Amino acid sequence: MNSRIFLAIVAVRCRMLLQYRAAALAGFGTQLFWGFIKVMVFVAFYASAVSEPPMTFAQVLVYIWLGQALLALLPWNVDKEIAEQIRSGGVAYELLRPVGLYGFWFARTLAFRLAPTLLRMVPMLAFTYFMLPWVGLAEWALPPPASSAAGGFFLLSALATLLLSTAVTMILHISLMWTISGEGFNRMMPGVVPLLSGLIIPLPLFPDWLQGVLFWQPFRGLADVPFRIYSGHIPASEAVLEIGMQLGWSALLIGMGVALLTRARRRLVVQGG
Amino acid sequence: MSEPYIVVNDLAKRFQIAERDPGLWGALKGIARRRYRTVEALHGVSFEIGRGDLVGYIGPNGAGKSTTIKILSGILVPSGGTCEVAGLTPWQSRVEHVARIGVVFGQRTQLWWDLPVVESFELLRDIYRVPQAHYVRERDELVELLDLVPLLDVPVRQLSLGQRMRSDLAASLLHDPEILFLDEPTIGLDAVSKLAMRDFIRRRNTERGTTVLLTTHDMDDVEALCSRVMLINHGTLLMDGTVADLRSDRRRVVVDFSEPVALAAHHSALVRSSSGERIVFEVQSRVPEFVAEVTAAYPVQDLMVEHPPIEETVAALYQQVRSVDGTGIRE
């Protein structure tokens, strides 16, 4: 599939999904509320810490607010339209288009991750970066990036996160071809993804003996990596390597997705349309 | 028929359908051991279609029409047999193949549900890589012929069935395909929409030379459009001929008498119905002789000779097959 077709599909899907502004607004309210609760929990933790924590409080704030802003980017759910196509057998009709099915769905899925994120990210960043200091809550506000290099690497890393998240969501989509109802694998994701990406508790705050395991898993690239690049917890000198790892995981998961889809298509074809 | 363009040889398709006994016990048994029933959707179907032909494909529900169309359009792989469409095997060269065909499924839209019609068209332009100049020309012509101007900015989900079918048909033709597969394109349409649809399909076939294979339950579609008809039932081709072949040599003679009459028994015709002064006869052959006989013997006010509706002939054909076959579904 060439990039023009890919971008056309992404653009069309985004335009459609950007219509859901009310949902985004409601989401903004909820995520702001949870953000404050998390901030207050960590204020209490840090006030009673007996030893030096592995992250500064400012770094934790970055982690929390970026996490709330980019929540919709996490691959914890599936595109209902694709799920419905698989359930109803409509997926066969996608094969009438002269494009590869994986690329076709990848474009749709990328838009499915990107559009809601854009809608929620902008008000959340504006509120936590500008509004909180303005209302006198400067010590709870989202701090600026550690340096301009950190800011630049953060943007690159966030794009890699989009790619990685889309690749994981694609695996969820393809797995629907085996477990039609979308249970099982997809029920697991809302539990596993926020925990392993660092969204519940920042990964550096986990016990030392877990750090090795947490380092070598793909979900880290969904939140922990870009957030720590922003706050400087990952120094700019290591950022390239970390982004490289995000891309490496993405490539691996895309490869897996393509292989799974090829197998699934064989099944689909045997079953009929 | 010109050079063979679509060649289907001994095509077979078997589906495995998981079965379970009814009730809770059946569901529990199904967990332990799945029983599969094999349904033969196609059973050695062979035919050839020439370039530029317009062929009707008829048969009762579940006969195998849609399965054939799905195999020909590359989205289903047959269990046996071969099939070549313009030199390609559809399911082996899928991407290349589908770029040259247009497909409309009457039961299911291929437009994007939430998008205005014109945005679906633009997305298809990109997907099929239609150059902008070609696209504008094709779109404008289709919009005019199918009367789509008022629909272009309406999301597909808000269209009526007739409007949606017209949009679907236009969408399938934007890339000017050489072959068009239409699966029940007139299903559920009102009389005016049906006529418009038929007119459009006929023009596309004659003016562009687009090869068309059309499935339908509407015999008027077949009579109006197709020089050739293939009839399929239980996955086997039963008839491949002209529309005239579908018609029996029976005629219906509707006679209005000027007064009630008592018919003599010796006339070589069946009385199909009689109400008041009107009697409908069915005549096997020798229609002129029968008409002469009746007008000579009785006071006739008006008289009409008509073909029996083609539906009746086709229904009789379906019925015949069922009684030969014995069962509804071959297992």
Side-chain angles (χ1 to χ4, degrees):
Chain A
M1 184 189 296
N2 69 26
S3 55
R4 184 163 158 222
I5 301 176
F6 189 84
L7 290 177
I9 297 168
V10 172
V12 155
R13 289 296 295 170
C14 276
R15 228 176 308 153
M16 205 220 92
L17 291 163
L18 287 173
Q19 293 167 5
Y20 298 122
R21 289 189 204 97
L25 202 66
F28 169 66
T30 317
Q31 279 144 35
L32 195 64
F33 176 76
W34 284 110
F36 276 122
I37 290 193
K38 277 182 172 174
V39 170
M40 288 185 265
V41 167
F42 279 100
V43 167
F45 276 157
Y46 272 67
S48 56
V50 287
S51 61
E52 180 74 10
M55 289 177 99
T56 67
F57 186 68
Q59 286 168 340
V60 171
L61 275 176
V62 167
Y63 216 105
I64 291 171
W65 288 129
L66 287 183
Q68 296 309 100
L70 298 177
L71 197 63
L73 200 55
L74 283 193
W76 57 273
N77 62 349
V78 294
D79 185 338
K80 288 204 182 67
E81 273 183 41
I82 290 184
E84 177 56 27
Q85 267 182 355
I86 292 169
R87 204 189 57 73
S88 68
V91 48
Y93 298 88
E94 300 275 83
L95 299 173
L96 288 173
R97 305 296 176 211
V99 290
L101 187 56
Y102 188 89
F104 197 22
W105 274 3
F106 194 89
R108 286 186 58 138
T109 304
L110 190 109
F112 170 69
R113 294 267 75 110
L114 181 62
T117 304
L118 287 177
L119 272 178
R120 287 164 171 80
M121 183 183 78
V122 174
M124 183 62 76
L125 292 183
F127 188 87
T128 54
Y129 191 82
F130 296 110
M131 283 291 283
L132 285 184
W134 191 67
V135 298
L137 284 170
E139 72 273 25
W140 286 10
L142 172 66
S147 64
S148 53
F153 282 127
F154 165 73
L155 288 179
L156 289 178
S157 176
L159 286 176
T161 297
L162 175 63
L163 203 65
L164 180 61
S165 177
T166 307
V168 175
T169 312
M170 277 300 287
I171 293 205
L172 297 185
H173 284 156
I174 295 161
S175 78
L176 289 176
M177 293 174 129
W178 275 272
T179 62
I180 300 285
S181 64
E183 302 296 307
F185 204 38
N186 296 330
R187 272 280 173 91
M188 230 167 67
M189 294 311 272
V192 171
V193 170
L195 190 72
L196 292 183
S197 61
L199 222 76
I200 293 180
I201 300 164
L203 295 188
L205 300 183
F206 277 85
D208 286 342
W209 57 272
L210 267 174
Q211 291 299 326
V213 182
L214 291 173
F215 184 82
W216 290 107
Q217 46 95 16
F219 302 114
R220 197 169 70 88
L222 296 169
D224 184 65
V225 172
F227 300 172
R228 280 165 59 212
I229 289 178
Y230 180 103
S231 67
H233 194 266
I234 292 174
S237 56
E238 287 172 28
V240 177
L241 195 71
E242 291 280 5
I243 295 169
M245 272 184 78
Q246 284 180 298
L247 294 175
W249 279 115
S250 303
L252 191 73
L253 289 164
I254 289 172
M256 258 175 74
V258 170
L260 279 173
L261 188 60
T262 311
R263 287 196 54 188
R265 258 207 64 192
R266 219 169 289 149
R267 270 171 54 93
L268 171 89
V269 152
V270 171
Q271 290 278 346
Chain B
M1 198 205 287
S2 48
E3 35 153 345
Y5 195 48
I6 300 175
V7 183
V8 171
N9 202 355
D10 204 21
L11 211 56
K13 179 70 194 176
R14 283 180 294 275
F15 291 109
Q16 298 261 311
I17 294 179
E19 263 193 345
R20 67 173 180 83
D21 298 330
L24 182 62
W25 178 236
L28 289 175
K29 269 205 308 196
I31 295 171
R33 194 165 49 88
R34 277 277 172 85
R35 231 167 358 109
Y36 289 99
R37 185 170 57 116
T38 305
V39 173
E40 282 200 58
L42 290 180
H43 192 72
V45 169
S46 305
F47 58 81
E48 284 184 7
I49 292 176
R51 186 170 206 149
D53 287 358
L54 203 169
V55 179
Y57 195 35
I58 61 172
N61 291 324
K65 301 187 298 289
S66 294
T67 305
T68 312
I69 297 271
K70 282 175 189 160
I71 291 173
L72 286 176
S73 45
I75 62 180
L76 212 57
V77 179
S79 324
T82 60
C83 162
E84 260 191 29
V85 180
L88 292 177
T89 301
W91 59 92
Q92 279 166 9
S93 327
R94 181 183 70 81
V95 171
E96 205 185 330
H97 169 70
V98 295
R100 301 185 309 183
I101 64 169
V103 189
V104 175
F105 291 97
Q107 311 266 29
R108 180 191 284 272
T109 184
Q110 293 169 75
L111 300 167
W112 284 267
W113 202 240
D114 296 295
L115 291 183
V117 174
V118 70
E119 286 192 31
S120 272
F121 287 179
E122 280 163 15
L123 189 53
L124 288 170
R125 170 199 63 196
D126 292 337
I127 289 177
Y128 284 91
R129 293 164 226 205
V130 183
Q132 180 65 15
H134 285 243
Y135 166 73
V136 170
R137 203 175 56 227
E138 292 291 326
R139 183 200 57 197
D140 290 349
E141 189 186 327
L142 289 164
V143 162
E144 196 203 312
L145 288 176
L146 289 165
D147 192 20
L148 298 177
V149 177
L151 311 182
L152 285 178
D153 297 319
V154 181
V156 173
R157 60 167 182 273
Q158 289 172 15
L159 297 179
S160 74
L161 182 63
Q163 294 171 331
R164 205 214 78 206
M165 280 308 304
R166 269 149 49 207
S167 311
D168 250 307
L169 191 60
S172 73
L173 291 169
L174 284 168
H175 58 292
D176 192 17
E178 297 153 34
I179 304 164
L180 187 56
F181 295 123
L182 302 171
D183 194 9
E184 303 187 17
T186 57
I187 196 161
L189 298 189
D190 63 41
V192 178
S193 305
K194 270 188 189 174
L195 287 179
M197 194 66 116
R198 277 181 208 142
D199 190 47
F200 179 83
I201 295 168
R202 189 186 308 107
R203 283 185 65 171
R204 192 79 189 184
N205 174 251
T206 50
E207 288 171 16
R208 297 266 184 129
T210 309
T211 309
V212 182
L213 180 65
L214 163 104
T215 81
T216 185
H217 287 298
D218 188 332
M219 289 308 139
D220 293 337
D221 285 348
V222 174
E223 283 198 274
L225 289 173
C226 310
S227 50
R228 178 172 161 213
V229 189
M230 300 189 293
L231 192 150
I232 187 174
N233 201 4
H234 302 317
T236 315
L237 221 48
L238 297 176
M239 199 214 82
D240 185 346
T242 62
V243 177
D245 294 340
L246 277 180
R247 280 219 185 84
S248 61
D249 48 2
R250 284 170 193 278
R251 295 291 178 276
R252 230 166 243 194
V253 182
V254 183
V255 187
D256 287 332
F257 298 100
S258 41
E259 58 193 55
V261 295
L263 290 174
H266 66 271
H267 299 301
S268 55
L270 279 166
V271 174
R272 280 199 70 104
S273 69
S274 79
S275 59
E277 275 79 69
R278 167 171 289 197
I279 298 183
V280 181
F281 298 94
E282 194 155 302
V283 186
Q284 180 69 47
S285 52
R286 294 167 29 92
V287 176
E289 288 86 339
F290 174 75
V291 170
E293 226 174 275
V294 170
T295 44
Y298 309 102
V300 171
Q301 195 175 47
D302 197 2
L303 188 145
M304 273 181 293
V305 180
E306 44 186 42
H307 287 291
I310 205 164
E311 269 88 357
E312 283 183 13
T313 324
V314 171
L317 258 172
Y318 292 176
Q319 211 62 48
Q320 229 173 320
V321 175
R322 194 157 297 158
S323 56
V324 169
D325 198 70
T327 56
I329 296 175
R330 202 190 300 266
E331 295 194 20

